[in-house]
Every structure is written in C-alpha cells, then in structure tokens.
C-alpha cells in the first residue's frame, strides 16, 4: 500500500476532530468522481488501523445518459475492493440540482437505516466549502449560510453525515487519484457553465486566485471554520433566550399559538433577537423565513401596544399585547 501525505492528514483529522471511533460502520457515498474516489481509497487504506466496516452507496439520479454506466463502474470498483455495495435508482430522471440533492440524501439515509450504518460519509472538499460560501454570500445570508458545509451534521436522529475531506482541496484529490491510478468517472455536467456552481468553480475562483489571493480557497474555508464555532455559540444562546422569553409557556405551546415576552427580548442584543424570531418562524411557516419576515417580527419587540404584522405566508399574524408578542398561525 502506498502511504501518502493525504493518508497521514486524514488520519489526523479523523482523530483530532473525533469524526468516527474504532469499529464503526461507515457508509461512504461514492459518485465515482475524483473526490469520492479519493475518500473511499483513503478510508479503505485506514480501515485496518481503525477496524471500520465500510460500505459503498451510489445514487443513480438518471440525470445523464451515462448514469447507468456510471453506477456499474462504482459497483465494479466496490466488488474489486470486496466492499458491500448499495444502489438506489431514482424512479424518474431528476434534472434539477436541488431535486437531485434532496432525493440523494433521502436515498442515502434509507440505505443507512436499512443496513445499520450510523454514519454517511461524503467527499466534500475544501474547494466545495469555499464555493458554497461564495454562492451563499452572493444570495444573501447570515453567518449560518457562510459556515458553508460543516464537518458533521445529523441527517436523522440516528444518522450523522460526516465530511472528512474539508481540509483537502480539489487539486489534491485530483493528484491523489492520478498518483494511485484510480479510475475516475468524469461527470460531463461539471463543465456546463449554465450552472452557477460550475461558474463559481471554473471562472470566479480562478479569477480570485489570480487577481487577489493565490490561497483564496483555504482563506474562504478558514472563514467558514471560524463562523461555524460562532454559529454554534449563538444558537445555544438563542435557545436559552427563547426559553426565557417563552417563560412558563414553554411546555404549553401548541402549534397554533405562541407568545414571547418583550421585556426579556428587549434586554438581548439584536443578533439574538433576530435569531429567536427566525427559530419561531421556522416552526410556524411552511417555507424558510426570509430576511423581511424576520425583521417584521423583530420590530414588534419595541413597537407600541396593539401593533401587529400583516399576515405571513400561510396566514400567521403576530400582535403586541402589553408585554407579549402573540403569534397565531393561520
Ligand atoms: N450520485 C451519487 N451517489 C453517491 N454519492 C454521491 C453522488 N453524487 C454526489 N455524492 C456524494 O456527495 C459528495 C458531493 O458531491 P457534489 O459536490 O457533486 O454534490 P452536491 O450536490 O454539490 O452536494 P451537496 O448538496 O451535499 O453540497 C460527493 O463527494 C459524494 O460523496
């Protein structure tokens, strides 16, 4: 076995970040592209040390004409490595990125659930992290959107999504695959500049690298890393503030009615006021609340008695009643 710097790096990362322990069952999501091939190869080589039980999952979105061939390619690789292989095929071709992604995470969770894996592992890299940060930044977001791809995220109560390659760039995974002769399946849609993501990767990042900062990817990923810790802290503080603002109601809240104490909220910083309002709206609205929704509700913290908002999508209305903001769903 060839032992490279990437092997050493990923081993250290898994250990220091406690991404997985010994003897665990890991389901590795393999598209066949350079990132996920690099990932599976690294995990296979570390498997003995950690005594993991690895499985490979592939999702066929039926998006491209070669998607079945792609699935077979991954299946053959799994067989050659003697690793369990699981395939999910979409009932109909999924031709939007968002639909494909949603379906993929559901399909992966279903495979993990049925086969007793607590971890799903993906090959997202530092480059993906930098691109996601830029993408979200341009669409407008708070710190949550800029933390861009976290190391771990619960997919369901029992299943954790883990991304061990977040400190490794796409250039490194490409080199690794070349050095170790891994048969990468080239995704033709990756070059298609119709997709914003691809334009960020193929045009914007190279431009930023050449004109502003040769290490722009790691600089952006570092920003995401810092923000991740800050978001975690803010979310904890938000939870506490919200519980305090709901007072004794916390246990009696139903889905139709909710009230928050304005005096408690008035003492809190704006960042936490907004976050409490966002959390509350996330539970009441069908779609994710936008900036304007959150601002409307936050404004009631200091508004005169009897002020109220116009209806939120779905019909919910918030009104000031003395010390309280009362929210009734539509
Ligand atoms: N068809 C697939 N089958 C299995 N795993 C996949 C597939 N496509 C992507 N993945 C997994 O997801 C990782 C990220 O892939 P990619 O960047 O193409 O997806 P994405 O849609 O941008 O993902 P995300 O929405 O999670 O950021 C891959 O490294 C791989 O682990």
């Amino acid at each position: 076995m060839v032992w490279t710097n990437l092997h050493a790096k990923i081993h250290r990362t898994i250990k220091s970040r406690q991404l997985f322990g010994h003897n665990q069952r890991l389901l590795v999501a393999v598209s066949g592209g350079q990132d996920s091939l690099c990932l599976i190869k690294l995990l296979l080589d570390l498997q003995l040390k950690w005594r993991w039980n690895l499985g490979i999952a592939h999702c066929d979105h039926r998006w491209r004409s070669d998607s079945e061939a792609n699935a077979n390619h991954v299946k053959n690789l799994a067989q050659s490595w003697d690793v369990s292989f699981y395939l999910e095929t979409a009932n109909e071709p999924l031709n939007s990125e968002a639909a494909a992604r949603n379906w993929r995470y559901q399909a992966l969770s279903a495979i993990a659930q049925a086969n007793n894996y607590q971890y799903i592992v993906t090959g997202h890299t530092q480059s993906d992290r930098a691109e996601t940060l830029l993408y979200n930044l341009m669409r407008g977001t708070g710190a949550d959107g800029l933390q861009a791809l976290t190391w771990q995220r619960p997919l369901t109560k029992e299943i954790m999504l883990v991304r061990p390659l977040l400190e490794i760039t796409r250039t490194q995974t490409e080199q690794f695959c070349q050095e170790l002769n891994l048969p990468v399946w080239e995704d033709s849609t990756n070059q298609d500049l119709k997709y914003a993501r691809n334009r960020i990767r193929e045009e914007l990042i190279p431009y930023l690298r050449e004109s502003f900062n040769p290490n722009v990817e790691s600089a952006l990923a570092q920003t995401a890393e810092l923000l991740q810790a800050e978001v975690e802290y803010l979310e904890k503080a938000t939870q506490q503030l919200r519980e305090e603002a709901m007072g004794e109601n916390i246990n009696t809240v139903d889905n139709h009615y909710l009230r928050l104490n304005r005096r408690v909220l008035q003492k809190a910083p704006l960042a936490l006021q907004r976050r409490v309002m966002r959390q509350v709206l996330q539970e009441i609205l069908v779609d994710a609340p936008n900036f304007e929704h959150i601002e409307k509700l936050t404004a009631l913290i200091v508004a005169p008695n009897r002020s109220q908002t116009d209806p939120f999508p779905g019909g919910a209305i918030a009104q000031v009643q003395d010390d309280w903001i009362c929210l009734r769903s539509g």
Side-chain angles (χ1 to χ4, degrees), residues 29-31 35-36 57-59 61 101 104-105 122-124 128 149:
V30 177
S31 63
D35 301 337
S36 51
H58 180 81
C59 304
H61 306 109
R101 180 174 307 143
R104 186 166 71 235
Y105 282 118
T122 61
H124 290 98
D128 290 310
L149 301 183

Side-chain angles (χ1 to χ4, degrees), residues 28-32 35-36 39 57-61 64 70 97 100-101 103-105 108 121-125 128 132 149 153 161 163 170 187 190 197 201:
V28 188
V30 177
S31 63
D35 301 337
S36 51
L39 171 72
H58 180 81
C59 304
D60 180 353
H61 306 109
R64 288 174 276 121
N70 185 347
E97 272 189 288
R101 180 174 307 143
W103 172 78
R104 186 166 71 235
Y105 282 118
L108 291 171
V121 196
T122 61
H124 290 98
T125 60
D128 290 310
T132 306
L149 301 183
R153 168 165 85 86
L161 174 68
R163 301 167 170 131
R170 200 172 287 128
D187 178 347
N190 275 349
R197 288 294 195 130
R201 184 173 59 234

Side-chain angles (χ1 to χ4, degrees), residues 213-226:
N213 180 358
N215 299 317
V216 67
E217 277 176 308
S218 60
L220 291 172
Q222 209 170 63
T223 304
E225 187 67 32
L226 290 173

